Amino acid sequence: MTYILPGAPWLIAHRSMLGVNQPHKVTLNGQDYALWQNDRGEVFALNNVCPHMQAPLSNGWICKERNTITCPFHALEFDGEGKLHREGKRDIQPFAQPLKLTVIGDCIWTYGDCEPRTGIPDIVEQIASKYDFIGIAGDKTIQGDFLSTWLINSDFNHQNGTHRELFQIVQNQMTEFDKNGYWYKVKQESTRANNSVRELLSNPVLFTIPKILKSTVEYFFPSVLVLYAETGSGPFAQVVVQYPQQQNQTKIYELIFAKFKSVWIKPLLRQSMLKAIDVVVEQDSTAIETRYPHQPTKIRLPNEEVMIYALELYREW
Ligand code: FES
Ligand SMILES: [Fe+2]
């Protein structure tokens, strides 16, 4: 397939998604890779195709002693450099193709097989140093192209359509839009309808969302975007990660951070927070997956300049 946004840094996994000594499959720009993390926290990645008879290495297992991945078909072992381990010896030439990774804190970044075109944003590290990590949410493959998936997160008019049931945002006002190259930022004020007791009980997160929620969304095109909000339980940061898997398949997952005002809130809210985000991502995917093919629009809404800016960044990449 033709590469989508060649030279972009992609955040292909967070350490918590990998486990220890377990193969983990990642698809980036049409190519499958097998990733694993050893008990020292080192992370390795190889092209997933076994160079013997093309079995998927990610279906194999990790040998802790030799730090190798074993192919599920004939049990050949390869280390993180792709070198074959046989009868106590290690071949000099790599057979399997390693994928170059950059591990920063808990984040595993790669440029795939491309030359870097932009730097890796340090925003996730900054957030991790200030907030507690709550967990991963909304981890799924959307059956839609990368651009549509990125654009829905730059679309400030879909809350009262796509997400109306969950948060019941009746009005959304953009108060600021700053941009500088691949970075852009939007401040908004969202007004929530009066929720019924039933709605509040089924989604306890609503208790912590003020009637007028002020939030900031900061974009680091095309790798991540972060939504910051001040809730009743403390500040909250939601890192939305996206990368292209195939021409019409996009991976999305979110790293959720918060700084709760008291220690007992985390166990109380953690599950419902992550669940609410799963629902949001599910709703966005449905919006993307059920659309008819693109056509030039005849209608414009306010605040669409953010989406148009993102579209230009994509087209001019
Ligand atoms: S296919 Fe992998 S060892 Fe044979
Ligand atoms: Fe959305």
Side-chain angles (χ1 to χ4, degrees), residues 203-218:
N203 182 13
V205 171
L206 286 173
F207 281 116
T208 72
I209 302 180
K211 190 80 192 344
I212 296 181
L213 179 71
K214 291 185 184 176
S215 59
T216 301
V217 193
E218 202 181 4

Side-chain angles (χ1 to χ4, degrees), residues 6 40 53 72-73 85 97 111 113 132 138 144 151 189 213 215 220 238 282 288 307:
R40 291 193 298 277
M53 280 168 67
F73 204 165
H85 287 235
Q97 176 75 37
Y111 288 93
D113 300 327
D132 293 331
L151 289 185
E189 287 182 19
L213 179 71
S215 59
F220 301 84
Q238 177 182 355
E282 205 51 58
I288 293 166
M307 235 179 3

Side-chain angles (χ1 to χ4, degrees), residues 49-57 70-78 84:
V49 184
C50 176
H52 175 225
M53 280 168 67
Q54 296 73 52
L57 294 177
T70 311
C71 177
F73 204 165
H74 310 94
L76 288 181
E77 282 179 45
F78 303 91
L84 182 65

Side-chain angles (χ1 to χ4, degrees), residues 18 52 153 185 277 305:
L18 297 182
H52 175 225
N153 286 317
K185 183 171 94 177
I277 290 158
E305 63 268 29

Side-chain angles (χ1 to χ4, degrees), residues 43 45 93 133 141 143 183 230 244 248 261 267 277 293-294 303:
V43 183
Q93 284 304 318
F133 179 60
T141 293
Q143 303 301 321
W183 172 91
E230 195 62 49
N248 270 308
K261 282 179 182 161
I277 290 158
H294 294 282
N303 307 333

Side-chain angles (χ1 to χ4, degrees), residues 67-110:
N67 198 16
T68 51
I69 188 163
T70 311
C71 177
F73 204 165
H74 310 94
L76 288 181
E77 282 179 45
F78 303 91
D79 66 18
E81 291 173 29
K83 292 178 180 171
L84 182 65
H85 287 235
R86 238 187 323 203
E87 292 149 9
K89 285 198 228 91
R90 179 179 186 244
D91 278 14
I92 297 170
Q93 284 304 318
F95 284 105
Q97 176 75 37
L99 171 70
K100 205 167 163 230
L101 303 173
T102 303
V103 182
I104 305 174
D106 290 331
C107 294
I108 294 115
W109 293 85
T110 186

Side-chain angles (χ1 to χ4, degrees), residues 6-20:
W10 302 113
L11 177 45
I12 52 169
H14 183 264
R15 235 178 239 291
S16 66
M17 299 159 90
L18 297 182
V20 174

